[in-house]
Amino acid sequence: MVNYTNIKPIWVIHGPNLNMLGKREPEVYGTTTLKDINALLKKQGKEIGLSVETFQSNHEGKIVDKIQQIAGNASGLIINPAALTHTSVAIRDALLLLNIPIIEIHLSNIYKREPFRHTSMIADIVHAQITGFGVEGYRMALDALSKMVQTRQTA
């Protein structure tokens, strides 16, 4: 295990309707709840020595506010903007404030869905995009961020 002492937390931001996971379109998003995902990420973080903080909002402005609040107070960010992926210049502009690794995550493969979902307003400014792996995508993102944080610490 890498020594992550004094490392700022990894933040996970979930966008609109993700609070309804497990109930909303289980054939697309599965039956795992957001509470389950957050618990899984916090447990995984603890196992590798990283603190994981989570936030969800159905409101674009609250997501922008949270991104602004974590500027300078995070080692990395996992963000699932959900429906705001395709429309939010405000979230994009807020993400440009951050000088940390950012991974965009989507439970479903947005490129196999309706054409309007094929465009991400943030894909070109994040370090990576993970799409279509379901809940496992979040675990993959945290694993990747831990490696990015380790690399930054030794650089």
Side-chain angles (χ1 to χ4, degrees), residues 28-29 32 104-110 129-141:
V28 174
Y29 301 109
T32 304
E104 176 184 356
I105 176 85
H106 298 283
L107 293 162
S108 66
N109 183 344
I110 61 175
Q129 184 185 66
I130 299 174
T131 179
F133 286 94
V135 174
E136 184 61 24
Y138 280 97
R139 294 166 56 95
M140 295 164 63

Side-chain angles (χ1 to χ4, degrees), residues 2-58:
V2 175
N3 181 3
Y4 289 109
T5 307
N6 299 323
I7 301 281
K8 295 172 184 166
I10 300 292
W11 274 88
V12 183
I13 296 178
H14 308 281
N17 296 311
L18 292 175
N19 58 313
M20 300 306 293
L21 287 175
K23 298 176 186 172
R24 178 179 163 245
E25 298 180 86
E27 68 282 359
V28 174
Y29 301 109
T31 57
T32 304
T33 67
L34 185 61
K35 183 178 177 182
D36 295 336
I37 291 170
N38 288 340
L40 179 143
L41 291 171
K42 286 176 182 273
K43 180 179 182 233
Q44 181 182 347
K46 187 174 184 179
E47 289 170 357
I48 59 176
L50 285 173
S51 171
V52 175
E53 300 291 336
T54 61
F55 175 79
Q56 187 277 330
S57 180
N58 293 319

